[in-house]
Amino acid sequence: MLKSSEKIIGVIGLGYVGLPLAVEFGKKRSVIGFDINVDRINELHKSIDRTLEVSTKELKEAKNLTFSNNTNDLKTCEIYIVTVPTPIDSGCKPDLEPLIKASEMLGPLLKQDDIIIYESTVFPGATEEICVKHLEKKSNLKFNVDFFVGYSPERINPGDKTHRLPFIKKITSGSTPAIATEVDALYADIIQAGTYMAESIKVAEAAKVIENTQRDLNIALINELAFIFDKMEIDTQQVLDAAGTKWNFLNFQPGLVGGHCIGVDPYYLTFKAQSLGYTPEIILAGRRINNSVGEFVIQKLLKEMIAKKIAISKARVLILGLTFKENCPDLRNTKVIDLIDELKSAHISPDVYDPWVEKEVAMNELSIDVKDSLYSSKYDAVIFAVGHDQFRSMTKNDISKLVHLNHVIFDIKSIFPRSFGALRL
């Protein structure tokens, strides 16, 4: 049997999670990065990463990393790491199709003693109850006899140039004690922050799904407080600043809650809980609150516009920012869409500008025509939806070039001081 350090790794899925992982391993050992997206593979061959998570320099430094969209190239691998997306469907139920398809693809490739490690967010039990079933069926091999699995949840934070993969502690696990040790040693070789070996795969899966559920609930509390303080005509940010002077007050901010993790992971946990006959009331309530922020913002905006005698039927509105968070091009589950939909329900078709988003990508993924330039029109209202650095650096004079004399500004991210006069959550 080969030593773990000699085994070839295949990374399945080269998005925000898979590519940084493939690059780090590719600096030290043979890695095949696989993705079904031919355009993505072609760009990576040219050392171009459109997610901006990995630089051209880093891609070139990964001397032992090759890219492919041909499954035959994966036959030499002894370790497979699956990093495909695990979204939710229109009914907020887990969509495991990408995970199942990846497992079915890998099944025929498996050999004696191969290890498949999953990093995609799932509900506790999914790896062994669902993925393994498809691996066994397609490989005709027996789990924990012929092949083994591990689970090591991803903790990538898109756009974060400080908390990058090597500097984020990694949870690891395996389907047997020996495999758990091998999986842990595998990641320990590239993770400078260290690893934490969980007692079981289910524990590792549960740890991942509650990390973002906890954040979701904390933000939901602050969003609900913002709704309450709005009725009391109290500035939420001033309240948070005051309360934040206590040493153990948690610093969470109100806002839109989207993205591939916080706005999705709680549904994986609640789905599993409901399948076992338990309805998780607090978690689902938090989701309902966070999903209502877009409606709250637009209703407050329209109310202020009416108060300023701005004709809603003729109003022009600009939304600044489309990505789900600041300083990254990631559009997955962006809740800016909620703002757009709410405005359209009021018969307003807003303009959208985001310097981080490629025009073609926004159209293909969201059917939104992103503006090419910022100062080409005048608006009755401007919504600062995402806190990109480009928006945070704008001055009052910059904004005056965007708006009519009579206008409304909604500063969702509390970018500007209260004296600026913008509406805030």
Side-chain angles (χ1 to χ4, degrees):
M1 182 184 297
L2 289 173
K3 295 179 182 178
S4 179
S5 59
E6 299 172 339
K7 293 180 178 180
I8 299 173
I9 297 175
V11 176
I12 313 304
L14 298 174
Y16 284 85
V17 175
L19 183 62
L21 193 68
V23 167
E24 288 303 319
F25 277 123
K27 294 174 182 177
K28 297 192 171 188
R29 59 197 295 164
S30 295
V31 178
I32 299 171
F34 176 89
D35 202 290
I36 60 174
N37 187 329
V38 178
D39 291 337
R40 176 71 164 158
I41 295 299
N42 290 337
E43 287 179 349
L44 291 174
H45 277 142
K46 299 173 185 176
S47 298
I48 298 171
D49 172 29
R50 66 169 55 239
T51 70
L52 305 181
E53 290 300 304
V54 178
S55 67
T56 297
K57 179 175 179 290
E58 289 172 308
L59 281 166
K60 290 179 177 179
E61 286 175 348
K63 301 291 186 183
N64 304 305
L65 172 61
T66 59
F67 300 108
S68 176
N69 64 308
N70 188 339
T71 54
N72 288 327
D73 292 336
L74 294 170
K75 290 181 177 178
T76 58
C77 299
E78 291 91 10
I79 297 174
Y80 298 95
I81 303 179
V82 179
T83 63
V84 298
T86 43
I88 53 174
D89 62 21
S90 58
C92 295
K93 302 296 183 185
D95 178 6
L96 295 177
E97 185 177 357
L99 200 62
I100 291 171
K101 284 187 174 180
S103 300
E104 290 178 336
M105 181 193 76
L106 291 176
L109 302 175
L110 294 185
K111 307 173 296 300
Q112 189 71 34
D113 296 324
D114 280 358
I115 301 173
I116 307 91
I117 304 168
Y118 291 89
E119 291 213 4
S120 309
T121 299
V122 293
F123 50 77
T127 300
E128 293 159 296
E129 295 166 11
I130 296 176
C131 299
V132 164
K133 177 180 70 176
H134 291 281
L135 291 171
E136 283 190 319
K137 182 179 179 180
K138 292 294 184 178
S139 68
N140 292 317
L141 298 176
K142 189 169 180 59
F143 173 51
N144 275 347
V145 174
D146 302 313
F147 73 90
F148 306 87
V149 300
Y151 184 77
S152 181
E154 61 89 4
R155 283 174 163 172
I156 293 293
N157 186 26
D160 190 335
K161 301 307 179 186
T162 301
H163 301 97
R164 305 192 71 201
L165 176 66
F167 311 112
I168 304 172
K169 194 156 192 172
K170 200 86 164 73
I171 295 175
T172 65
S173 64
S175 55
T176 70
I179 295 302
T181 299
E182 183 171 350
V183 171
D184 191 72
L186 176 76
Y187 283 102
D189 194 38
I190 63 166
I191 305 297
Q192 296 181 35
T195 59
Y196 178 90
M197 191 191 304
E199 294 294 324
S200 68
I201 287 176
K202 280 188 178 181
V203 167
E205 291 168 327
K208 166 57 179 175
V209 82
I210 72 164
E211 288 175 11
N212 289 312
T213 299
Q214 183 186 68
R215 286 184 58 77
D216 192 44
L217 284 172
N218 276 304
I219 298 169
L221 171 61
I222 303 302
N223 276 331
E224 186 164 49
L225 290 174
F227 299 165
I228 294 169
F229 293 144
D230 181 67
K231 290 186 176 298
M232 296 179 176
E233 298 184 351
I234 300 173
D235 184 88
T236 302
Q237 193 58 52
Q238 288 184 327
V239 176
L240 294 177
D241 290 344
T245 60
K246 189 180 181 189
W247 75 92
N248 60 353
F249 186 81
L250 302 179
N251 181 28
F252 286 90
Q253 297 293 312
L256 301 168
V257 185
H260 66 299
C261 287
I262 299 179
V264 172
D265 292 3
Y267 288 121
Y268 275 75
L269 183 58
T270 57
F271 171 82
K272 184 65 174 180
Q274 289 170 325
S275 73
L276 298 172
Y278 181 81
T279 300
E281 297 180 14
I282 293 176
I283 298 172
L284 289 173
R287 283 279 73 233
R288 286 193 295 272
I289 291 168
N290 285 340
N291 282 337
S292 69
V293 173
E295 179 183 4
F296 173 83
V297 167
I298 298 307
Q299 290 304 313
K300 186 171 180 176
L301 176 77
L302 294 175
K303 183 179 177 181
E304 184 67 13
M305 290 170 69
I306 292 169
K308 288 196 169 188
K309 294 182 170 50
I310 297 172
I312 302 300
S313 61
K314 299 178 181 179
R316 296 201 64 195
V317 177
L318 172 67
I319 296 177
L320 293 177
L322 181 59
T323 62
F324 91 88
K325 65 174 294 187
E326 66 277 1
N327 302 329
C328 80
D330 197 342
L331 292 172
R332 289 174 296 173
N333 193 34
T334 173
K335 303 307 283 185
V336 177
I337 292 297
D338 292 358
L339 303 177
I340 296 170
D341 290 343
E342 289 294 327
L343 284 168
K344 285 182 176 179
S345 69
H347 306 292
I348 298 173
S349 294
D351 285 346
V352 179
Y353 175 78
D354 193 317
W356 284 84
V357 174
E358 293 182 25
K359 190 178 182 70
E360 183 181 352
V361 173
M363 180 56 70
N364 290 341
E365 294 186 11
L366 300 174
S367 299
I368 292 175
D369 186 15
V370 174
K371 283 175 60 67
D372 295 312
S373 59
L374 186 55
Y375 295 105
S376 57
S377 302
K378 290 270 191 177
Y379 295 92
D380 300 291
V382 176
I383 303 173
F384 284 82
V386 186
H388 294 317
D389 286 347
Q390 290 94 328
F391 302 151
R392 291 184 178 275
S393 64
M394 291 177 72
T395 65
K396 220 169 186 179
N397 184 55
D398 292 329
I399 297 171
S400 69
K401 298 174 185 176
L402 285 172
V403 295
H404 297 297
L405 188 61
N406 186 30
H407 65 269
V408 178
I409 303 291
F410 203 123
D411 180 13
I412 293 178
K413 302 298 291 185
S414 295
I415 294 172
F416 306 107
R418 189 168 183 265
S419 59
F420 189 84
L423 297 176
R424 302 201 291 190
L425 275 172

